[in-house]
Amino acid sequence: MTVIKVLYVDDEENNLSSFKANFRRLYEIYTATSGAGALDILSQTEVHVVISDQRMPEMTGVELFKKVKKLYPEPIRILLTGYTDIDALAGAINEGDIYRYITKPWNEIELNNGIQNAYDVFKTRRELKDKVEELEKTNDELNRFIYSISHELRAPLASALGVINLAKLDNVYHESEKGHEYWGLIEDCCARLDYNITSTLQYYKNSRYSTIKEEVDFQKLVNELIVVHKLANNVEDKIKFDVNIDQSEKFFGDVFRIEIIIGNLISNAIKYQNPDEQNKLIQIDVKVNRLDAIITIIDNGLGILNDHLNKIFNQFFRIHNQKGTGLGLFIVREALAKLDGKISVESVVNSGTKFTLRIPNEL
Amino acid sequence: MASALQTPNLLIIIDDSSFDLRINSGIASHTKLFKQIVCFSSAVAALDFLAENINNPEIFPHVIFLDIQMPEMDGFEFLERYDTFPNEFKAKSHVIMISSTDDLRDIVRAESDRNVVKLLKKPLQIEALKTLVAKIYKL
């Protein structure tokens, strides 16, 4: 068990001696006969509780505690004082300079209780501080972990997909029917794993980070997301994007979550294109007013069956069997819920899908 | 040097992953666009090589494949050093970043660097590479 360290300040030597006589078996005791002496001790030793007499020449107890609070905020401060001083102390007590005052002459039990309570406060605060530091450290590590894992997991996966590409170029892939099937299966597995990593990370980040408010430039955001997702899906310029942003009002919101939401919808619009369609088109409209941003994302892709429309936002629901984990739209819904946003969907099979989003403007 | 502009002679690949060096050099040689391919597993080594041969027209890196995440010196740090090379050099040498990154900030940063022609995502697609090199050299 830690020994409680107590500093006792009093200009009367007799009081110091009787304090020592009473408490030396219970505590590690430091004494000073003036405020200056007390500050000197505090600069060298970490004490838990400071007890000071109010009436001292040069520096009063309250004056000392104001300095101690500023320089060494951790030790808990107890003031010893006669009844006559109490009015003058009210300010100091209310400002939190003093944890407790004990009237003079003190009795052993009362003062001992005061020291014990003060130490409990010290200990609780210290534990809280340690916990906060520990949590901040863990948070930091987790964030770094998340960033590096997305690289550490994805890089070898991209290499595996690279080997498959090379196998195709070297005609290994198509050598035999079985070989072709197996290579194809490996390719699908890798693609699915890649998608799983992305969605899991997004889901994790969404559930974890508290929402933040910053200015959003939709023109920039949407264009960046289009670049990213064209790249991710290797579509180059085979799909036409028609982007229309009407943002004369400023918009404030959680960029990170808005990025996840629009990104997932763009990615789906790219993925679920109709391969037979000659003029693949994705139309993105954003209209910002003081209350919301209204975003519509329309594609002329495969579309969704009416029966499926109310299930698409459920976790692990999938329509197009070959791709996806059924996490994308679930993440969209979760992220939107954090922003108090709304989403609706209309779709016609083989003709296209339209998602309409409404995200509140935190202006 | 005028003839050097017509077809890329030397390709330099910088990537800390030996897998990706093997894969991307394999894919690059399938394009039949490069006469020579030299691989470096560290950006520092590549930079030393480039600096040593800076006045040697025989060893001129017409195209450089540059990975982003690498230990010691990453792709962006390489680009900072590369930026100090003479302008005549940079005008004829084309950096293509090749990465598996998913981080929006990395992607935007790569695309906005004045010495980077384009960012291609791993796994490298031969068609995307062919199209890009053809565009650079107006083939």
Side-chain angles (χ1 to χ4, degrees):
Chain A
M1 225 195 98
T2 331
V3 183
I4 304 175
K5 295 180 185 176
V6 181
L7 168 62
Y8 184 92
V9 193
D10 201 317
D11 58 323
E12 286 172 57
E13 300 266 3
N14 287 342
N15 289 343
L16 294 179
S17 323
S18 73
F19 182 81
K20 268 192 197 158
N22 273 296
F23 293 110
R24 71 185 155 79
R25 282 193 188 82
L26 298 172
Y27 309 118
E28 190 173 313
I29 294 167
Y30 298 82
T31 57
T33 52
S34 70
L39 291 170
D40 198 36
I41 288 172
L42 286 169
S43 74
Q44 296 163 34
T45 314
E46 190 194 53
V47 305
H48 305 125
V49 183
V50 187
I51 303 168
S52 173
D53 184 29
Q54 162 66 355
R55 290 195 179 183
M56 294 185 293
E58 288 163 49
M59 199 189 289
T60 66
V62 168
E63 285 164 350
L64 168 65
F65 281 178
K66 279 194 190 294
K67 284 195 177 150
V68 171
K69 187 189 173 193
K70 216 168 147 191
L71 296 170
Y72 313 100
E74 282 197 272
I76 308 298
R77 301 167 294 271
I78 297 176
L79 194 77
L80 298 176
T81 175
Y83 278 113
T84 48
D85 298 319
I86 287 172
D87 276 352
L89 301 179
I93 290 170
N94 289 342
E95 277 171 43
D97 300 333
I98 299 164
Y99 164 68
R100 176 173 293 191
Y101 71 83
I102 290 171
T103 50
K104 278 174 96 172
W106 49 264
N107 77 58
E108 194 187 330
I109 294 168
E110 195 190 1
L111 189 52
N112 193 33
N113 279 341
I115 294 170
Q116 287 294 336
N117 292 344
Y119 180 68
D120 282 346
V121 172
F122 177 89
K123 213 171 78 183
T124 312
R125 283 186 192 166
R126 170 64 64 86
E127 279 166 3
L128 189 65
K129 199 178 145 210
D130 289 349
K131 281 273 174 279
V132 169
E133 271 171 18
E134 205 180 298
L135 270 170
E136 277 170 357
K137 210 173 137 232
T138 315
N139 253 347
D140 257 27
E141 277 166 6
L142 259 162
N143 288 344
R144 256 178 291 139
F145 175 72
I146 290 297
Y147 178 82
S148 70
I149 207 167
S150 77
H151 175 245
E152 302 301 334
L153 291 181
R154 177 166 290 103
L157 197 55
S159 301
L161 287 163
V163 173
I164 295 167
N165 283 344
L166 206 50
K168 284 181 187 166
L169 294 170
D170 287 332
N171 284 322
V172 181
Y173 194 102
H174 302 284
E175 231 164 26
S176 71
E177 206 173 303
K178 276 247 159 89
H180 185 253
E181 186 198 348
Y182 296 161
W183 279 104
L185 288 173
I186 295 171
E187 191 171 17
D188 288 350
C189 291
C190 289
R192 184 167 290 181
L193 181 53
D194 190 29
Y195 183 78
N196 286 359
I197 292 169
T198 315
S199 348
T200 308
L201 285 171
Q202 282 185 354
Y203 178 72
Y204 168 81
K205 287 181 188 165
N206 181 52
S207 59
R208 226 176 107 67
Y209 297 145
S210 51
T211 53
I212 35 168
K213 207 172 99 174
E214 48 187 316
E215 198 176 339
V216 182
D217 177 349
F218 279 101
Q219 187 82 50
K220 189 164 158 270
L221 182 69
V222 169
N223 286 334
E224 282 175 5
L225 286 169
I226 291 172
V227 171
V228 172
H229 289 284
K230 271 169 123 177
L231 201 66
N233 292 287
N234 278 308
V235 289
E236 291 294 318
D237 296 318
K238 277 170 258 161
I239 299 173
K240 186 170 177 279
F241 281 84
D242 182 4
V243 180
N244 210 325
I245 313 278
D246 175 6
Q247 183 173 15
S248 46
E249 293 275 351
K250 282 194 171 179
F251 185 92
F252 282 86
D254 185 334
V255 176
F256 172 71
R257 286 190 171 80
I258 294 171
E259 197 182 296
I260 289 183
I261 293 163
I262 301 180
N264 265 299
L265 292 172
I266 291 176
S267 171
N268 278 357
I270 293 173
K271 273 200 201 107
Y272 302 124
Q273 283 288 329
N274 187 342
D276 302 328
E277 174 63 52
Q278 289 307 303
N279 304 305
K280 298 186 177 74
L281 176 70
I282 296 172
Q283 195 185 328
I284 301 171
D285 290 282
V286 180
K287 196 167 168 24
V288 177
N289 62 40
R290 293 185 66 82
L291 295 173
D292 317 276
I294 298 143
I295 302 157
T296 53
I297 297 172
I298 306 170
D299 65 65
N300 58 352
L302 292 169
I304 303 162
L305 277 176
N306 241 334
D307 288 354
H308 290 158
L309 272 183
N310 53 357
K311 296 183 203 149
I312 53 172
F313 295 105
N314 294 350
Q315 195 171 10
F316 305 127
F317 181 78
R318 271 184 279 143
I319 299 166
H320 307 280
N321 254 326
Q322 71 278 28
K323 286 174 190 163
T325 50
L327 273 177
L329 288 175
F330 172 67
I331 291 164
V332 167
R333 191 190 66 184
E334 295 286 298
L336 259 178
K338 294 243 178 194
L339 305 179
D340 274 331
K342 296 215 164 35
I343 187 165
S344 62
V345 55
E346 298 157 45
S347 186
V348 177
V349 172
N350 289 326
S351 150
T353 307
K354 173 183 180 182
F355 283 96
T356 307
L357 302 164
R358 193 176 280 270
I359 302 173
N361 192 346
E362 309 281 341
L363 198 66
Chain B
M1 291 299 279
S3 66
L5 250 180
Q6 319 259 291
T7 67
N9 180 26
L10 173 63
L11 166 69
I12 283 188
I13 307 181
I14 307 166
D15 200 314
D16 62 311
S17 155
S18 55
F19 293 99
D20 289 350
L21 285 177
R22 169 72 183 84
I23 294 159
N24 292 339
S25 60
I27 287 171
S29 59
H30 267 284
T31 65
K32 300 192 171 58
L33 290 167
F34 307 99
K35 290 198 186 78
Q36 258 185 300
I37 299 172
V38 179
C39 293
F40 291 95
S41 59
S42 99
V44 178
L47 213 51
D48 287 347
F49 177 82
L50 292 180
E52 258 169 49
N53 295 293
I54 198 153
N55 295 316
N56 184 351
E58 299 290 309
I59 305 176
F60 186 82
H62 296 100
V63 177
I64 299 173
F65 286 179
L66 179 63
D67 185 24
I68 295 181
Q69 275 126 333
M70 292 182 282
E72 200 181 355
M73 183 189 284
D74 70 18
F76 293 116
E77 287 164 327
F78 174 90
L79 283 171
E80 274 172 38
R81 310 281 182 87
Y82 177 84
D83 196 46
T84 64
F85 281 32
N87 285 332
E88 315 88 76
F89 184 98
K90 287 182 286 182
K92 287 176 194 150
S93 170
H94 308 280
V95 179
I96 300 172
M97 290 198 112
I98 300 188
S99 168
S100 60
T101 186
D102 223 21
D103 191 82
L104 189 58
R105 277 139 289 265
D106 278 353
I107 294 169
V108 171
R109 194 172 162 198
E111 296 261 331
S112 61
D113 192 291
R114 59 176 169 167
N115 294 317
V116 174
V117 182
K118 203 170 167 47
L119 170 75
L120 293 179
K121 190 145 169 141
K122 284 180 189 171
L124 181 59
Q125 304 292 326
I126 189 161
E127 287 311 319
L129 178 61
K130 274 186 183 165
T131 314
L132 184 58
V133 176
K135 215 173 180 179
I136 298 169
Y137 286 91
K138 300 186 177 64
L139 296 173

